[in-house]
Short mmCIF file of all heavy atoms in Angstrom, two decimals:
data_model
loop_
_atom_site.label_atom_id
_atom_site.label_comp_id
_atom_site.label_asym_id
_atom_site.label_seq_id
_atom_site.Cartn_x
_atom_site.Cartn_y
_atom_site.Cartn_z
N ASP A 1 4.42 24.20 -9.80
CA ASP A 1 5.08 23.25 -8.98
C ASP A 1 5.16 23.53 -7.50
O ASP A 1 4.78 22.80 -6.70
CB ASP A 1 6.63 22.89 -9.58
CG ASP A 1 7.09 21.77 -8.89
OD1 ASP A 1 6.51 20.55 -8.73
OD2 ASP A 1 8.34 21.75 -8.57
N ARG A 2 5.46 24.84 -7.22
CA ARG A 2 5.58 25.35 -5.89
C ARG A 2 4.10 25.19 -5.26
O ARG A 2 3.91 24.82 -4.16
CB ARG A 2 6.10 26.59 -5.78
CG ARG A 2 7.58 26.58 -5.89
CD ARG A 2 8.19 27.91 -5.49
NE ARG A 2 7.62 29.12 -6.30
CZ ARG A 2 8.12 29.57 -7.41
NH1 ARG A 2 9.03 28.96 -8.07
NH2 ARG A 2 7.46 30.61 -8.04
N LEU A 3 3.14 25.67 -6.06
CA LEU A 3 1.73 25.60 -5.55
C LEU A 3 1.28 24.25 -5.32
O LEU A 3 0.42 23.96 -4.35
CB LEU A 3 0.81 26.36 -6.62
CG LEU A 3 1.03 27.91 -6.57
CD1 LEU A 3 0.17 28.46 -7.70
CD2 LEU A 3 0.50 28.48 -5.36
N SER A 4 1.60 23.26 -6.15
CA SER A 4 1.04 21.88 -6.00
C SER A 4 1.84 21.31 -4.67
O SER A 4 1.17 20.58 -4.05
CB SER A 4 1.45 21.11 -7.21
OG SER A 4 2.72 20.96 -7.52
N ASN A 5 3.05 21.61 -4.55
CA ASN A 5 3.68 21.15 -3.22
C ASN A 5 3.02 21.78 -2.08
O ASN A 5 2.80 21.07 -1.05
CB ASN A 5 5.20 21.53 -3.30
CG ASN A 5 5.99 20.69 -4.27
OD1 ASN A 5 5.46 19.60 -4.53
ND2 ASN A 5 7.07 21.20 -4.70
N THR A 6 2.69 23.06 -2.20
CA THR A 6 1.98 23.64 -0.96
C THR A 6 0.64 23.04 -0.72
O THR A 6 0.09 22.81 0.31
CB THR A 6 1.80 25.22 -1.28
OG1 THR A 6 3.18 25.66 -1.42
CG2 THR A 6 1.13 26.00 -0.14
N ASP A 7 -0.01 22.67 -1.89
CA ASP A 7 -1.34 22.10 -1.79
C ASP A 7 -1.13 20.70 -1.08
O ASP A 7 -2.07 20.38 -0.23
CB ASP A 7 -1.97 21.93 -3.17
CG ASP A 7 -3.40 21.39 -3.12
OD1 ASP A 7 -4.14 22.13 -2.58
OD2 ASP A 7 -3.71 20.35 -3.76
N LYS A 8 -0.13 19.88 -1.39
CA LYS A 8 -0.04 18.71 -0.74
C LYS A 8 0.13 18.83 0.88
O LYS A 8 -0.36 18.17 1.66
CB LYS A 8 1.06 18.01 -1.21
CG LYS A 8 0.85 17.40 -2.64
CD LYS A 8 2.03 16.67 -3.24
CE LYS A 8 1.83 16.39 -4.67
NZ LYS A 8 3.06 15.88 -5.33
N GLN A 9 1.06 19.85 1.12
CA GLN A 9 1.36 20.09 2.57
C GLN A 9 0.06 20.62 3.35
O GLN A 9 -0.21 20.24 4.38
CB GLN A 9 2.40 21.20 2.61
CG GLN A 9 3.78 20.78 2.23
CD GLN A 9 4.79 21.86 2.23
OE1 GLN A 9 4.43 23.08 2.32
NE2 GLN A 9 6.07 21.53 2.03
N LEU A 10 -0.74 21.49 2.66
CA LEU A 10 -1.93 21.98 3.30
C LEU A 10 -2.96 20.85 3.44
O LEU A 10 -3.58 20.76 4.51
CB LEU A 10 -2.54 23.12 2.45
CG LEU A 10 -1.89 24.33 2.55
CD1 LEU A 10 -2.35 25.34 1.54
CD2 LEU A 10 -1.82 25.01 3.80
N HIS A 11 -2.95 20.01 2.47
CA HIS A 11 -3.81 18.81 2.74
C HIS A 11 -3.56 17.97 3.83
O HIS A 11 -4.38 17.27 4.57
CB HIS A 11 -4.22 18.10 1.39
CG HIS A 11 -5.27 18.57 0.47
ND1 HIS A 11 -4.81 19.65 -0.45
CD2 HIS A 11 -6.53 18.45 0.50
CE1 HIS A 11 -5.98 20.03 -1.15
NE2 HIS A 11 -7.07 19.28 -0.54
N GLY A 12 -2.25 17.67 3.95
CA GLY A 12 -1.75 16.91 5.12
C GLY A 12 -2.02 17.44 6.40
O GLY A 12 -2.39 16.91 7.37
N LEU A 13 -1.86 18.99 6.37
CA LEU A 13 -2.05 19.63 7.69
C LEU A 13 -3.52 19.52 8.01
O LEU A 13 -4.03 19.52 9.13
CB LEU A 13 -1.60 21.09 7.50
CG LEU A 13 -1.85 22.11 8.73
CD1 LEU A 13 -1.12 21.59 9.93
CD2 LEU A 13 -1.43 23.49 8.33
N GLN A 14 -4.40 19.65 6.90
CA GLN A 14 -5.84 19.53 7.21
C GLN A 14 -6.26 18.18 7.82
O GLN A 14 -7.13 18.32 8.74
CB GLN A 14 -6.58 19.79 5.89
CG GLN A 14 -8.07 19.87 5.98
CD GLN A 14 -8.73 20.03 4.65
OE1 GLN A 14 -8.25 19.59 3.61
NE2 GLN A 14 -9.91 20.64 4.76
N GLN A 15 -5.64 17.12 7.31
CA GLN A 15 -5.96 15.91 7.93
C GLN A 15 -5.57 15.77 9.44
O GLN A 15 -6.32 15.33 10.17
CB GLN A 15 -5.29 14.68 7.14
CG GLN A 15 -5.90 14.50 5.73
CD GLN A 15 -5.08 13.46 5.09
OE1 GLN A 15 -3.99 13.15 5.26
NE2 GLN A 15 -5.81 12.87 4.11
N VAL A 16 -4.43 16.40 9.72
CA VAL A 16 -3.87 16.36 11.06
C VAL A 16 -4.91 17.19 11.96
O VAL A 16 -5.27 16.86 13.05
CB VAL A 16 -2.55 16.95 11.16
CG1 VAL A 16 -2.04 17.16 12.65
CG2 VAL A 16 -1.46 15.99 10.57
N GLN A 17 -5.34 18.36 11.50
CA GLN A 17 -6.12 19.28 12.21
C GLN A 17 -7.55 18.54 12.39
O GLN A 17 -8.18 18.73 13.46
CB GLN A 17 -6.27 20.56 11.59
CG GLN A 17 -5.02 21.35 11.77
CD GLN A 17 -5.12 22.63 10.99
OE1 GLN A 17 -5.75 22.87 10.02
NE2 GLN A 17 -4.15 23.67 11.46
N GLU A 18 -8.09 17.85 11.30
CA GLU A 18 -9.28 17.17 11.49
C GLU A 18 -9.37 16.15 12.63
O GLU A 18 -10.20 16.00 13.41
CB GLU A 18 -9.74 16.55 10.30
CG GLU A 18 -10.28 17.49 9.16
CD GLU A 18 -10.45 16.86 7.78
OE1 GLU A 18 -9.90 15.83 7.51
OE2 GLU A 18 -11.01 17.68 6.90
N MET A 19 -8.16 15.35 12.69
CA MET A 19 -8.09 14.32 13.63
C MET A 19 -7.87 14.99 15.07
O MET A 19 -8.50 14.50 16.03
CB MET A 19 -6.69 13.49 13.44
CG MET A 19 -6.92 12.57 12.35
SD MET A 19 -5.54 11.43 12.12
CE MET A 19 -4.08 12.53 12.05
N LYS A 20 -7.21 16.10 15.17
CA LYS A 20 -7.16 16.79 16.48
C LYS A 20 -8.49 17.28 16.88
O LYS A 20 -8.82 17.21 18.08
CB LYS A 20 -6.18 18.15 16.34
CG LYS A 20 -6.00 18.92 17.53
CD LYS A 20 -5.13 20.03 17.42
CE LYS A 20 -4.94 20.73 18.73
NZ LYS A 20 -4.10 21.91 18.74
N LEU A 21 -9.22 17.91 15.94
CA LEU A 21 -10.68 18.32 16.15
C LEU A 21 -11.48 17.10 16.79
O LEU A 21 -12.16 17.31 17.82
CB LEU A 21 -11.31 18.91 15.05
CG LEU A 21 -12.74 19.35 15.13
CD1 LEU A 21 -12.82 20.45 16.20
CD2 LEU A 21 -13.27 19.83 13.89
N LEU A 22 -11.38 15.99 16.09
CA LEU A 22 -12.21 14.92 16.68
C LEU A 22 -11.73 14.45 17.98
O LEU A 22 -12.56 14.03 18.83
CB LEU A 22 -12.01 13.70 15.51
CG LEU A 22 -12.65 13.84 14.33
CD1 LEU A 22 -12.34 12.68 13.39
CD2 LEU A 22 -14.12 14.05 14.40
N ARG A 23 -10.43 14.50 18.29
CA ARG A 23 -9.95 13.94 19.57
C ARG A 23 -10.47 15.12 20.66
O ARG A 23 -10.84 14.67 21.65
CB ARG A 23 -8.31 14.08 19.57
CG ARG A 23 -7.70 12.80 19.45
CD ARG A 23 -6.20 12.74 19.78
NE ARG A 23 -5.58 14.00 19.49
CZ ARG A 23 -4.95 14.16 18.34
NH1 ARG A 23 -4.90 13.36 17.25
NH2 ARG A 23 -4.21 15.35 18.04
N GLU A 24 -10.33 16.40 20.43
CA GLU A 24 -10.78 17.41 21.36
C GLU A 24 -12.27 17.18 21.59
O GLU A 24 -12.74 17.31 22.75
CB GLU A 24 -10.38 18.81 20.84
CG GLU A 24 -8.92 19.10 20.57
CD GLU A 24 -8.23 19.02 21.90
OE1 GLU A 24 -8.66 19.28 23.03
OE2 GLU A 24 -6.94 18.82 21.78
N ARG A 25 -13.06 16.99 20.55
CA ARG A 25 -14.41 16.82 20.69
C ARG A 25 -14.79 15.60 21.52
O ARG A 25 -15.70 15.68 22.51
CB ARG A 25 -15.20 16.70 19.29
CG ARG A 25 -16.67 16.70 19.34
CD ARG A 25 -17.29 16.92 18.09
NE ARG A 25 -17.08 18.31 17.58
CZ ARG A 25 -16.83 18.56 16.41
NH1 ARG A 25 -16.94 17.67 15.45
NH2 ARG A 25 -16.66 19.91 15.93
N ALA A 26 -14.06 14.58 21.24
CA ALA A 26 -14.27 13.22 22.08
C ALA A 26 -13.95 13.43 23.49
O ALA A 26 -14.66 13.07 24.57
CB ALA A 26 -13.45 12.18 21.58
N LYS A 27 -12.87 14.24 23.75
CA LYS A 27 -12.42 14.62 25.17
C LYS A 27 -13.56 15.40 25.89
O LYS A 27 -13.80 15.07 26.96
CB LYS A 27 -11.19 15.36 25.26
CG LYS A 27 -9.91 14.62 24.88
CD LYS A 27 -8.67 15.52 24.99
CE LYS A 27 -7.46 14.85 24.62
NZ LYS A 27 -6.36 15.82 24.60
N GLY A 28 -14.07 16.31 25.18
CA GLY A 28 -15.15 17.27 25.76
C GLY A 28 -16.32 16.40 26.10
O GLY A 28 -16.93 16.64 27.11
N ASP A 29 -16.69 15.48 25.07
CA ASP A 29 -17.85 14.71 25.32
C ASP A 29 -17.76 13.75 26.58
O ASP A 29 -18.71 13.57 27.31
CB ASP A 29 -18.19 13.87 24.00
CG ASP A 29 -18.63 14.70 22.82
OD1 ASP A 29 -19.08 15.90 23.06
OD2 ASP A 29 -18.74 14.12 21.79
N ARG A 30 -16.52 13.18 26.72
CA ARG A 30 -16.22 12.31 27.81
C ARG A 30 -16.33 12.95 29.12
O ARG A 30 -16.78 12.61 30.07
CB ARG A 30 -14.93 11.65 27.65
CG ARG A 30 -14.75 10.17 27.74
CD ARG A 30 -13.49 9.58 27.53
NE ARG A 30 -12.37 10.35 27.32
CZ ARG A 30 -11.66 10.48 26.17
NH1 ARG A 30 -12.23 9.90 25.05
NH2 ARG A 30 -10.68 11.21 26.02
N LEU A 31 -15.66 14.27 29.05
CA LEU A 31 -15.73 15.10 30.35
C LEU A 31 -17.18 15.58 30.62
O LEU A 31 -17.57 15.32 31.91
CB LEU A 31 -14.90 16.40 30.23
CG LEU A 31 -13.38 16.16 30.29
CD1 LEU A 31 -12.67 17.40 29.87
CD2 LEU A 31 -13.02 15.74 31.69
N GLU A 32 -17.94 15.70 29.73
CA GLU A 32 -19.33 16.06 29.97
C GLU A 32 -20.13 14.96 30.50
O GLU A 32 -20.94 15.19 31.39
CB GLU A 32 -20.02 16.58 28.55
CG GLU A 32 -21.47 16.98 28.71
CD GLU A 32 -21.71 18.30 29.50
OE1 GLU A 32 -20.68 19.09 29.42
OE2 GLU A 32 -22.73 18.47 30.06
N GLU A 33 -19.95 13.68 30.05
CA GLU A 33 -20.55 12.50 30.57
C GLU A 33 -20.16 12.31 31.97
O GLU A 33 -20.98 12.08 32.90
CB GLU A 33 -20.23 11.38 29.66
CG GLU A 33 -20.95 11.23 28.41
CD GLU A 33 -22.40 11.23 28.67
OE1 GLU A 33 -22.94 10.49 29.49
OE2 GLU A 33 -23.11 11.95 27.90
N ASN A 34 -18.81 12.47 32.31
CA ASN A 34 -18.29 12.37 33.68
C ASN A 34 -18.95 13.48 34.61
O ASN A 34 -19.22 13.09 35.71
CB ASN A 34 -16.77 12.46 33.71
CG ASN A 34 -16.18 11.28 33.16
OD1 ASN A 34 -16.73 10.28 32.92
ND2 ASN A 34 -14.86 11.36 32.68
N ARG A 35 -19.12 14.61 34.06
CA ARG A 35 -19.63 15.72 34.85
C ARG A 35 -21.17 15.35 35.16
O ARG A 35 -21.62 15.55 36.34
CB ARG A 35 -19.65 17.02 34.12
CG ARG A 35 -20.22 18.10 34.91
CD ARG A 35 -20.47 19.38 34.11
NE ARG A 35 -21.58 19.18 33.12
CZ ARG A 35 -22.87 19.24 33.57
NH1 ARG A 35 -23.28 19.67 34.69
NH2 ARG A 35 -23.81 19.01 32.58
N LYS A 36 -21.90 14.85 34.17
CA LYS A 36 -23.29 14.43 34.41
C LYS A 36 -23.37 13.34 35.44
O LYS A 36 -24.24 13.29 36.34
CB LYS A 36 -24.04 14.05 33.18
CG LYS A 36 -24.22 15.08 32.18
CD LYS A 36 -24.87 14.62 30.91
CE LYS A 36 -25.12 15.85 29.92
NZ LYS A 36 -25.57 15.43 28.62
N ASP A 37 -22.52 12.34 35.42
CA ASP A 37 -22.44 11.20 36.33
C ASP A 37 -22.14 11.68 37.76
O ASP A 37 -22.75 11.42 38.76
CB ASP A 37 -21.48 10.22 36.03
CG ASP A 37 -21.85 9.37 34.77
OD1 ASP A 37 -23.02 9.51 34.35
OD2 ASP A 37 -21.00 8.74 34.07
N ALA A 38 -21.09 12.65 37.73
CA ALA A 38 -20.83 13.19 39.21
C ALA A 38 -22.01 13.99 39.66
O ALA A 38 -22.11 13.85 41.02
CB ALA A 38 -19.52 14.04 39.00
N ARG A 39 -22.57 14.74 38.91
CA ARG A 39 -23.80 15.56 39.46
C ARG A 39 -24.90 14.60 39.86
O ARG A 39 -25.48 14.93 40.91
CB ARG A 39 -24.32 16.43 38.25
CG ARG A 39 -25.48 17.19 38.53
CD ARG A 39 -24.90 18.39 39.47
NE ARG A 39 -26.14 19.16 39.89
CZ ARG A 39 -26.24 19.68 41.04
NH1 ARG A 39 -25.22 19.80 41.93
NH2 ARG A 39 -27.33 20.38 41.39
N ALA A 40 -25.21 13.65 39.12
CA ALA A 40 -26.13 12.54 39.52
C ALA A 40 -25.77 12.10 40.85
O ALA A 40 -26.63 11.76 41.83
CB ALA A 40 -26.37 11.47 38.60
N LEU A 41 -24.53 11.60 41.07
CA LEU A 41 -24.05 11.07 42.40
C LEU A 41 -24.21 12.03 43.47
O LEU A 41 -24.58 11.68 44.56
CB LEU A 41 -22.54 10.57 42.25
CG LEU A 41 -22.48 9.32 41.40
CD1 LEU A 41 -20.92 8.97 41.18
CD2 LEU A 41 -23.12 8.11 41.93
N GLU A 42 -23.81 13.34 43.23
CA GLU A 42 -23.99 14.39 44.26
C GLU A 42 -25.44 14.57 44.63
O GLU A 42 -25.77 14.69 45.89
CB GLU A 42 -23.41 15.65 43.76
CG GLU A 42 -21.88 15.60 43.60
CD GLU A 42 -21.23 16.78 42.92
OE1 GLU A 42 -22.04 17.73 42.40
OE2 GLU A 42 -19.94 16.92 42.77
N GLU A 43 -26.27 14.50 43.62
CA GLU A 43 -27.73 14.70 43.93
C GLU A 43 -28.25 13.44 44.80
O GLU A 43 -29.01 13.60 45.68
CB GLU A 43 -28.53 14.89 42.63
CG GLU A 43 -28.36 16.24 41.91
CD GLU A 43 -29.04 16.31 40.61
OE1 GLU A 43 -29.65 15.25 40.14
OE2 GLU A 43 -28.91 17.35 40.02
N ARG A 44 -27.83 12.41 44.27
CA ARG A 44 -28.24 11.15 45.14
C ARG A 44 -27.77 11.19 46.57
O ARG A 44 -28.58 10.90 47.45
CB ARG A 44 -27.63 9.87 44.41
CG ARG A 44 -27.71 8.64 45.13
CD ARG A 44 -29.18 8.13 45.10
NE ARG A 44 -29.40 7.02 45.91
CZ ARG A 44 -29.66 5.80 45.49
NH1 ARG A 44 -29.82 5.55 44.25
NH2 ARG A 44 -29.84 4.82 46.33
N ALA A 45 -26.48 11.57 46.72
CA ALA A 45 -25.99 11.78 48.05
C ALA A 45 -26.68 12.87 48.97
O ALA A 45 -27.02 12.59 49.99
CB ALA A 45 -24.40 12.07 48.03
N ALA A 46 -27.10 13.87 48.25
CA ALA A 46 -27.82 14.99 49.01
C ALA A 46 -29.22 14.47 49.28
O ALA A 46 -29.72 14.64 50.57
CB ALA A 46 -27.85 16.21 48.09
N ASP A 47 -29.81 13.69 48.36
CA ASP A 47 -31.12 13.06 48.80
C ASP A 47 -31.01 12.13 49.97
O ASP A 47 -31.90 12.11 50.82
CB ASP A 47 -31.68 12.40 47.47
CG ASP A 47 -32.15 13.37 46.36
OD1 ASP A 47 -32.24 14.66 46.77
OD2 ASP A 47 -32.36 12.93 45.30
#
């Protein structure tokens, strides 16, 4: 009974961590796109 309760808690924690991972990955991808855009604008200004 204790192990099954722990299993439920761990699965809930796993879902939360999966959502956090997806959020962090999306943030990183967005920042990467912004960096590429900024770099392109800087190159354009230099040209």
Side-chain angles (χ1 to χ4, degrees):
D1 187 44
R2 286 192 304 273
L3 287 171
S4 64
N5 287 336
T6 302
D7 190 55
K8 289 177 188 174
Q9 290 173 348
L10 287 173
H11 276 89
L13 180 61
Q14 183 182 28
Q15 288 178 341
V16 169
Q17 288 175 339
E18 286 172 349
M19 289 187 309
K20 180 180 179 182
L21 176 62
L22 291 175
R23 259 194 328 270
E24 297 297 338
R25 187 168 290 149
K27 285 180 191 176
D29 293 345
R30 233 182 357 258
L31 283 171
E32 182 68 27
E33 285 298 318
N34 289 341
R35 184 195 66 79
K36 288 178 183 177
D37 292 344
R39 181 70 183 151
L41 289 174
E42 289 168 359
E43 288 175 358
R44 172 71 188 249
D47 291 344

